[in-house]
Amino acid sequence: GVVKPIMPSPSGEKHRLLIVGGAGGVGSWATQLARSVYGSNIEICCTTGSQESNDWCIKMGADATISHNEVETQLGTGPKGSCDSIICLAEPTSAIFASLAEVLRPYGKICLVVAGEGIKALDMSFIFFKCGTVCTETVFSSIRCGYCIDQASEMCSILEAIKQGRVTAPLSDAWEEDKSDWKNAAEKGGYIDMVGSGHVKGKFVMKVGE
């Protein structure tokens, strides 16, 4: 979705994109693609949980980073809000969604990527009065629901950006190449625990052999 045209901000200010959980694989791709497509016409802010993640997001192309729990205190809230587009890569708990509703600008959009129990009880009242849009982007949704979306043109845009060097695969620099069997990966403190910790920078690629 970040490769589609963005509408000018109703506030007259630069279009601001907030990425909740910007240091992970999806967040890294979203940041790079948004910067590649919109250049200096968009301001990108990512939420992170450490200085290491802050540095990573800036490297990917973000203009600024804030702590996960500082969305309302660091960004403008209330009827006018401060963010035109929001990509939420964390489970939208009631607290998180309330913060996003506060910072959303009128006619802004929130994209929820991670499902969970929280989506069953989201308070949409403030979004309603801001004429906001809430959409979802879930893995395998087309297979589950039996519909097909032609994403060829979007993929061509991404591949062209990679070819030109404007976008690179955000492979994690947290670990060097290692060989491990699935038993070691599943041990306490193994790769599966490390990936599930929520503190992985970039994309971690695992090749599963025989």
Side-chain angles (χ1 to χ4, degrees):
V2 297
V3 299
K4 295 180 180 179
I6 56 174
M7 296 295 292
S9 175
S11 67
E13 301 177 46
K14 185 179 292 188
H15 191 106
R16 176 183 280 169
L17 167 64
L18 172 65
I19 303 178
V20 179
V26 177
S28 299
W29 274 113
T31 301
Q32 287 196 86
L33 289 171
R35 180 62 66 213
S36 172
V37 174
Y38 306 119
S40 61
N41 294 319
I42 190 171
E43 178 185 348
I44 305 172
C45 179
C46 297
T47 71
T48 63
S50 67
Q51 183 59 50
E52 193 176 25
S53 294
N54 292 350
D55 296 340
W56 176 266
C57 288
I58 297 299
K59 178 182 177 181
M60 292 295 103
D63 294 291
T65 62
I66 58 175
S67 175
H68 296 307
N69 58 5
E70 293 181 340
V71 172
E72 290 188 59
T73 58
Q74 295 296 317
L75 302 175
T77 60
K80 293 184 178 180
S82 59
C83 298
D84 300 281
S85 301
I86 300 173
I87 301 175
C88 183
L89 301 173
E91 181 180 348
T93 62
S94 297
I96 289 177
F97 194 76
S99 296
L100 303 187
E102 281 286 344
V103 301
L104 187 70
R105 281 177 175 154
Y107 300 97
K109 295 182 179 180
I110 299 175
C111 179
L112 304 177
V113 179
V114 179
E117 288 298 313
I119 63 174
K120 297 179 180 180
L122 296 181
D123 183 356
M124 301 288 289
S125 56
F126 208 18
I127 302 294
F128 179 87
F129 288 110
K130 288 187 174 183
C131 295
T133 298
V134 177
C135 61
T136 62
E137 180 67 34
T138 57
V139 178
F140 305 129
S141 59
S142 61
I143 297 175
R144 291 168 178 160
C145 300
Y147 65 90
C148 180
I149 296 178
D150 183 8
Q151 297 179 317
S153 61
E154 292 183 358
M155 290 303 301
C156 285
S157 299
I158 295 172
L159 291 174
E160 184 62 27
I162 294 175
K163 180 180 178 181
Q164 295 177 2
R166 293 183 286 114
V167 172
T168 59
L171 298 179
S172 176
D173 61 1
W175 305 302
E176 297 179 356
E177 183 176 350
D178 186 24
K179 293 184 178 179
S180 177
D181 59 32
W182 67 269
K183 292 182 179 180
N184 292 332
E187 289 179 351
K188 184 176 182 180
Y191 285 118
I192 294 177
D193 279 354
M194 294 169 73
V195 172
S197 68
H199 298 291
V200 176
K201 297 182 304 174
K203 204 73 175 177
F204 180 65
V205 179
M206 180 182 295
K207 179 180 180 181
V208 180
E210 297 180 355

